[in-house]
Amino acid sequence: MFSKIKTAGLSGIDGYLVDIEADVQNGLPGFTLTGLLSTDTKEAQSRVWNAVRSSVLRPEPKKITVNFSPAYVRKEGTGYDLPIAVAVLCAYGAAEYRGLEDTAFFGELGLDGSVKAIRGALPLSCVLKDNGIVRLVVPYENVDEAALIGGLEVIGCGSINETIDIIKRLSKTKFDPGRIKLQNYDAELDEQHYNVDFSEVKGQKYLRRAAEIAASGMHNFLMSGPAGTGKTLIAKCLPTILPSISREENIEISKAYSICGLLPEGKPLLSRRPFRNPHYGITAAAFAGGGMRAMPGEISLASGGILFLDELPLFSKNVLEMLRLPLEEHFICVTRMKGSCIYPADFLLAAALNPCPCGYYPDRKRCKCSPAQIHAYMGRLSKPLLERIDICAEADPLKAEDIIGNEDKAECSEDIRKRVERVHKLQRERFAEDGIKYNSRMGLKEIEKYCVLDDETSDFIKKIFVKKQLSGRTYHKILKVARTIADMEGADDISKKHLAEAISLRGIEDKLFG
């Protein structure tokens, strides 16, 4: 007998519908899987056959052929185990598969017939819903995650026998929309308190101002200065002043974490914006994404939040140059021998560096680094990479009065966050018809429309352009930052004052790389 069951596979965080066709005939007993399968997917034949034999059906050995369609797309993962088993059981006559056209299955099987959780339940559910599926049968552990998107009836199962009972019932009953229960998991109610706050930052008014501008317009942000001046603390405080993520954003952000199995235990969504802080010894594959299955890297796991690169010059040049495309296009294409995957990379880059290997330059009383050492230290940062960073601010050395005996607390994150939220709202309204959200994402068309300069301001920036020999990219970065500064002040037009501050926020570019 023949049967056909629906499931889905993943390519990046997107996916495709897969039909699993099973045919059971008399003949020499065997179990054959076809359809361009990876090693772990081919191993399903042993898991599935043992699971099926442990069921109440106890089928006789026959010639079993299972085909995955479309056959030209490579299938990877163990999530196909359950739909294979269901297809085989239907082909043996356990249930009528024609009653399951609007139902899909995914899950891994144990040899004893148990159904186990898999990674990627959230993106798989999105794919299946987009392809007209209205009902899912999944492992119990994946029910909450699969039900997040809504519009699907999600049924949990824990064993192959339980699955047989489910498919017998479903094949005889029509789909009832009234049985759909939306998973009302609220990440905001579950949000943990941050263990850092901007009120803990001592001194550094200039860096605090630069950080608020960066958060307000989602501008990439580089900090330079002596060791121990608070650069890392400011970077860790950035998530505390960003607006909370919406449910839609949270689902998109959580897809990559679901694929990697990094969602918090017992939680189907992240509770706050990501903050990724990879070590400078990270490999290119771990940073950009890769491996046998081209999994998401740190760049993609930071999407929707902060990617913090501390000790920036210590990262390998190969790793740093991988940032060029994501900083411009906000996605990354991971290409391996077995295929390509596109992952999101829409993050705010925060980076920190010392002015020299010892961290004390230009204080020659403490710094003993030679010019050659300083040049080699900074040599990994290319000019094209620096031009893709909107704000480059320098930290001031801390004074004794900033730390000792200073009981006055600086402004807290909550107060700053309210101002940032107001600027974000203004940008959403401005760009409602342009397909972008933030000033930092403006293209040439948006810059011409929203960064209009009067004659005096235009003459001012022309003089700066000639004197500093700016590139076109740097000029446009200055305009975007100036637009954000104007928004923070509630100004409709960019003034000379706004441009001057935006230009000053690139001061270390000339000092370190001029």
Side-chain angles (χ1 to χ4, degrees), residues 33-60:
L33 300 178
T34 63
L36 193 57
L37 312 177
S38 65
T39 301
D40 53 351
T41 306
K42 287 180 180 177
E43 291 171 347
Q45 59 186 3
S46 299
R47 294 190 297 271
V48 169
W49 181 244
N50 279 275
V52 169
R53 289 194 63 187
S54 68
S55 70
V56 294
L57 184 63
R58 297 192 179 277
E60 297 179 358

Side-chain angles (χ1 to χ4, degrees), residues 20 28 119 153 296 332 416 469:
I20 294 185
L28 188 66
R119 297 178 177 181
E153 180 186 2
I332 186 165
I416 302 173
Q469 297 182 335

